[in-house]
Amino acid sequence: MNPVDRAIDRIGSAIANDRHLGVQLYASVDGETVVDEVFGEASPGTPLLRNDAVPWICSTKLLGAMAVGRLLDEHGMSPRTPVAEVVPEFARNGKQDVTIAQLMSHAVPYAIDSEAPFYTTDHEKALTALCETSLSAPPGSRAQYSPIGSWVMVAEWVSRLSGVAYEQYVRRHFLSPLGLTHTVLGTPADVVPLPLYGWDEDPVEEGGEVPDPVPSSFLTQHPSVGAHGPAHELARVVECLVRGGEANGHRVLRPEALEIITTAHRSGLVDGYFGDLDISWGLGACVDSILFGAPPGSPVVGHTGSNCGIAVGDMERGLVVCHLATNESFQGLGPGRLESRVVRDLYGLVR
């Protein structure tokens, strides 16, 4: 069985066994599409379509990575620049030395039990809460994945340095140049984003009845998780990174900005959020093969999305894979996830 058929068969089996409602799968090699398929449902009873705007969840952070990388390059700044140099109030309660690289590589150990204070679409309220938060250890000394909080600061940092709202900056410099006509970040215009579904209990308990999926609650306008779009459009973001910062004949990122994003700014720190794995992070993007199911040591860049998606590119082999599901499915971390197995299947195209 060839790699594409193997991946398609794997996804079909997951849907047939009630693990997933629907999946969009896209892959390319050196910019040439090798698979662009849709399986299952957008919501119970509604077929999933190729151009449906599926939640990107944490893969949204790739847009913030590109925005900050571009601005650092344009302003001659370093990833070691303190965050407070642009947003002075972030320095409160011992955070004056936190760098933009530490912020975006999840190496800021906030002294909090949960990120609940940041789970709001009221940006000013979330920003105030973040600035007032103290640290439990020196910045850079401990891994602490920040799914929401740090990206409140990313959005503010981009807005202050660029002089325009974060969503406007992302649309102008990335969504439009990349031709992402079915993708939305922030307040939707013509694009209607799909909800993300989950289950109140494990849907694959042996001998148990399969429960009905229920919509999950996500912050559809948040800079960390709020993008919605088809898999083939999220893949264009990764293809831009893999292809040297170029897209559609335009230079979206200079090589210097691309290097900032894809260089490992954090490694050697055990990450409790990811099952005590030591995961290497670039600037807002993961650069560690273990999170994606890629062959060990592969030079990758991308992000995962809350038990429902993966967007990853191999910087040397030119392979890009994007797998977006319309529901969460809790399968552990790393190589065991359905998305990771699909990535491994599709690596057969470039071995």
Side-chain angles (χ1 to χ4, degrees), residues 156-213:
E156 184 69 14
W157 198 92
V158 168
S159 178
R160 293 199 192 183
L161 201 56
S162 69
V164 300
Y166 176 75
E167 293 84 0
Q168 182 180 345
Y169 186 88
V170 167
R171 280 194 292 268
R172 178 187 300 170
H173 293 287
F174 307 119
L175 301 190
S176 294
L178 294 175
L180 307 190
T181 57
H182 297 90
T183 294
V184 63
L185 173 66
T187 304
D190 298 329
V191 177
V192 178
L194 296 178
L196 186 71
Y197 282 79
W199 282 275
D200 288 331
E201 54 187 287
D202 188 349
V204 292
E205 283 187 15
E206 189 173 349
E209 228 178 275
V210 177
D212 293 329

Side-chain angles (χ1 to χ4, degrees), residues 86-170:
V86 176
V87 185
E89 58 267 41
F90 184 70
R92 296 173 192 158
N93 295 320
K95 300 193 297 301
Q96 66 277 358
D97 295 327
V98 173
T99 67
I100 194 70
Q102 290 166 344
L103 181 82
M104 297 183 69
S105 66
H106 306 287
V108 182
Y110 301 117
I112 53 176
D113 294 326
S114 80
E115 294 212 337
F118 316 131
Y119 277 73
T120 172
T121 54
D122 185 330
H123 176 73
E124 293 304 320
K125 182 177 179 180
L127 179 64
T128 298
L130 183 65
C131 290
E132 293 300 328
T133 299
S134 59
L135 301 181
S136 61
S141 67
R142 202 173 75 204
Q144 185 170 322
Y145 184 76
S146 177
I148 299 291
S150 286
W151 255 250
V152 172
M153 182 53 59
V154 167
E156 184 69 14
W157 198 92
V158 168
S159 178
R160 293 199 192 183
L161 201 56
S162 69
V164 300
Y166 176 75
E167 293 84 0
Q168 182 180 345
Y169 186 88
V170 167

Side-chain angles (χ1 to χ4, degrees), residues 160-288:
R160 293 199 192 183
L161 201 56
S162 69
V164 300
Y166 176 75
E167 293 84 0
Q168 182 180 345
Y169 186 88
V170 167
R171 280 194 292 268
R172 178 187 300 170
H173 293 287
F174 307 119
L175 301 190
S176 294
L178 294 175
L180 307 190
T181 57
H182 297 90
T183 294
V184 63
L185 173 66
T187 304
D190 298 329
V191 177
V192 178
L194 296 178
L196 186 71
Y197 282 79
W199 282 275
D200 288 331
E201 54 187 287
D202 188 349
V204 292
E205 283 187 15
E206 189 173 349
E209 228 178 275
V210 177
D212 293 329
V214 294
S216 301
S217 176
F218 273 95
L219 300 169
T220 56
Q221 296 182 33
H222 201 281
S224 64
V225 295
H228 292 67
H232 64 87
E233 293 198 356
L234 174 54
R236 289 188 205 171
V237 175
V238 183
E239 285 173 344
C240 178
L241 298 174
V242 168
R243 294 175 66 80
E246 293 187 358
N248 299 326
H250 301 286
R251 177 152 292 285
V252 177
L253 295 168
R254 295 200 323 145
E256 293 81 357
L258 184 64
E259 184 176 359
I260 289 171
I261 295 166
T262 58
T263 295
H265 299 292
R266 189 200 95 191
S267 61
L269 297 178
V270 173
D271 194 330
Y273 189 92
F274 289 102
D276 290 335
L277 295 173
D278 171 8
I279 297 174
S280 297
W281 283 89
L283 193 82
C286 183
V287 294
D288 198 317

